[in-house]
Coordinates of all heavy atoms in Angstrom, one line a residue:
G122 N 5.0 4.4 16.7 CA 4.4 4.5 18.0 C 3.0 4.0 17.9 O 2.5 3.8 16.8
L123 N 2.4 3.7 19.1 CA 1.0 3.1 19.0 C 0.0 4.2 19.2 O -0.1 4.9 20.2 CB 0.8 2.1 20.2 CG 1.8 0.9 20.2 CD1 1.5 0.0 21.4 CD2 1.7 0.1 18.9
P124 N -0.8 4.5 18.1 CA -1.7 5.6 18.2 C -2.9 5.3 19.1 O -3.2 4.2 19.5 CB -2.2 5.7 16.7 CG -2.0 4.3 16.2 CD -0.9 3.7 16.9
H125 N -3.6 6.4 19.5 CA -4.9 6.2 20.2 C -6.0 5.7 19.3 O -5.7 5.6 18.1 CB -5.3 7.6 20.8 CG -4.3 8.2 21.7 ND1 -3.9 7.7 22.9 CD2 -3.5 9.3 21.5 CE1 -3.0 8.4 23.4 NE2 -2.7 9.4 22.6
G126 N -7.1 5.5 19.8 CA -8.3 5.2 19.0 C -8.5 3.7 18.7 O -9.4 3.3 17.9
F127 N -7.7 2.8 19.4 CA -7.9 1.4 19.2 C -8.1 0.7 20.5 O -7.4 0.9 21.5 CB -6.7 0.8 18.5 CG -6.6 1.3 17.1 CD1 -5.8 2.3 16.7 CD2 -7.3 0.7 16.1 CE1 -5.7 2.8 15.4 CE2 -7.3 1.1 14.7 CZ -6.5 2.2 14.4
D128 N -9.2 -0.1 20.5 CA -9.5 -0.9 21.7 C -8.6 -2.1 21.8 O -8.4 -2.6 22.9 CB -11.0 -1.4 21.7 CG -12.0 -0.2 21.7 OD1 -11.9 0.7 22.6 OD2 -12.8 -0.1 20.7
F129 N -8.1 -2.5 20.7 CA -7.3 -3.7 20.7 C -6.1 -3.5 19.6 O -6.4 -3.0 18.5 CB -8.1 -4.9 20.3 CG -7.3 -6.2 20.2 CD1 -7.0 -6.9 21.3 CD2 -6.8 -6.6 18.9 CE1 -6.2 -8.0 21.2 CE2 -6.0 -7.8 18.9 CZ -5.7 -8.5 20.0
L130 N -4.9 -3.8 20.1 CA -3.8 -3.7 19.2 C -3.0 -5.0 19.3 O -2.7 -5.4 20.5 CB -2.9 -2.5 19.6 CG -3.4 -1.1 19.3 CD1 -2.4 -0.1 19.9 CD2 -3.5 -0.9 17.8
N131 N -2.5 -5.5 18.2 CA -1.5 -6.6 18.3 C -0.8 -6.5 17.0 O -1.1 -7.0 15.9 CB -2.2 -8.0 18.4 CG -1.2 -9.0 18.9 OD1 -0.2 -8.7 19.4 ND2 -1.6 -10.3 18.7
V132 N 0.3 -5.7 17.1 CA 1.0 -5.2 15.8 C 2.4 -5.7 15.7 O 3.1 -5.9 16.7 CB 0.9 -3.7 15.7 CG1 -0.6 -3.3 15.6 CG2 1.6 -3.0 16.7
L133 N 2.9 -5.7 14.5 CA 4.3 -6.0 14.3 C 5.2 -4.8 14.6 O 4.8 -3.7 14.3 CB 4.6 -6.3 12.8 CG 3.9 -7.5 12.2 CD1 4.1 -7.6 10.7 CD2 4.3 -8.8 12.8
P134 N 6.3 -5.0 15.3 CA 7.2 -3.8 15.5 C 7.8 -3.4 14.2 O 8.4 -4.3 13.5 CB 8.2 -4.3 16.5 CG 8.1 -5.8 16.6 CD 6.8 -6.2 15.9
G135 N 7.8 -2.2 13.8 CA 8.4 -1.7 12.6 C 8.0 -2.4 11.4 O 6.8 -2.6 11.2
Q136 N 9.0 -2.9 10.6 CA 8.7 -3.6 9.4 C 8.2 -5.1 9.7 O 7.6 -5.7 8.9 CB 9.9 -3.7 8.5 CG 10.4 -2.4 8.0 CD 9.6 -1.9 6.8 OE1 8.5 -2.3 6.5 NE2 10.1 -0.8 6.1
G137 N 8.6 -5.6 10.9 CA 8.2 -6.9 11.3 C 9.0 -8.0 10.5 O 9.8 -7.7 9.7
H138 N 8.8 -9.3 10.9 CA 9.5 -10.4 10.2 C 8.5 -11.3 9.6 O 7.4 -11.5 10.1 CB 10.3 -11.1 11.3 CG 11.5 -10.4 11.7 ND1 12.7 -10.4 10.9 CD2 11.8 -9.6 12.7 CE1 13.6 -9.7 11.4 NE2 13.1 -9.2 12.6
Y139 N 8.9 -12.0 8.5 CA 8.0 -13.0 7.9 C 7.9 -14.3 8.7 O 6.8 -14.9 8.7 CB 8.6 -13.3 6.5 CG 8.2 -12.3 5.4 CD1 9.1 -11.5 4.8 CD2 6.9 -12.2 4.9 CE1 8.8 -10.6 3.8 CE2 6.5 -11.3 4.0 CZ 7.5 -10.5 3.4 OH 7.1 -9.6 2.4
Y140 N 9.0 -14.7 9.3 CA 9.0 -16.0 10.0 C 9.1 -15.8 11.5 O 9.9 -15.0 12.0 CB 10.1 -16.9 9.5 CG 9.7 -17.6 8.2 CD1 9.9 -17.0 7.0 CD2 9.1 -18.9 8.2 CE1 9.5 -17.6 5.8 CE2 8.7 -19.5 7.1 CZ 8.9 -18.9 5.9 OH 8.5 -19.5 4.7
N141 N 8.2 -16.4 12.2 CA 8.2 -16.4 13.7 C 8.4 -15.0 14.3 O 9.3 -14.7 15.0 CB 9.3 -17.4 14.2 CG 9.3 -18.7 13.5 OD1 8.2 -19.2 13.2 ND2 10.4 -19.2 13.1
P142 N 7.5 -14.1 13.8 CA 7.6 -12.7 14.2 C 7.3 -12.4 15.6 O 6.5 -13.1 16.3 CB 6.7 -12.0 13.2 CG 5.6 -13.1 13.0 CD 6.3 -14.4 13.0
D143 N 7.7 -11.2 16.0 CA 7.3 -10.6 17.3 C 6.0 -9.8 17.0 O 5.8 -9.2 15.9 CB 8.3 -9.6 17.9 CG 9.6 -10.3 18.2 OD1 9.6 -11.5 18.6 OD2 10.7 -9.6 17.9
F144 N 5.1 -9.7 18.0 CA 4.0 -8.8 18.0 C 4.0 -8.0 19.2 O 4.4 -8.5 20.3 CB 2.7 -9.6 17.9 CG 2.3 -10.1 16.6 CD1 3.0 -11.3 16.0 CD2 1.3 -9.5 15.8 CE1 2.6 -11.7 14.8 CE2 1.0 -10.0 14.5 CZ 1.6 -11.1 14.0
I145 N 3.5 -6.7 19.1 CA 3.4 -5.9 20.3 C 2.0 -5.7 20.6 O 1.1 -5.3 19.8 CB 4.0 -4.5 20.0 CG1 5.5 -4.6 19.7 CG2 3.8 -3.5 21.2 CD1 6.2 -3.4 19.4
N146 N 1.6 -6.0 21.9 CA 0.2 -5.9 22.2 C -0.1 -4.6 22.9 O 0.8 -3.7 23.1 CB -0.2 -7.1 23.1 CG 0.5 -7.2 24.4 OD1 1.0 -6.1 24.9 ND2 0.6 -8.3 25.0
Q147 N -1.3 -4.4 23.3 CA -1.8 -3.2 23.9 C -1.0 -2.7 25.1 O -0.8 -1.6 25.3 CB -3.3 -3.5 24.4 CG -4.1 -2.2 24.6 CD -4.8 -1.9 23.3 OE1 -5.0 -2.8 22.5 NE2 -5.1 -0.7 23.1
K148 N -0.5 -3.7 25.9 CA 0.3 -3.4 27.0 C 1.8 -3.1 26.7 O 2.6 -3.0 27.6 CB 0.3 -4.6 28.0 CG -1.1 -4.7 28.7 CD -1.1 -5.8 29.7 CE -2.1 -6.9 29.4 NZ -1.8 -8.2 29.7

Side-chain angles (χ1 to χ4, degrees):
L123 301 179
H125 303 293
F127 291 96
D128 299 305
F129 178 81
L130 289 174
N131 199 17
V132 301
L133 300 173
Q136 298 279 14
H138 285 280
Y139 277 110
Y140 279 85
N141 313 320
D143 298 325
F144 280 76
I145 297 179
N146 64 22
Q147 203 87 27
K148 289 182 238 148

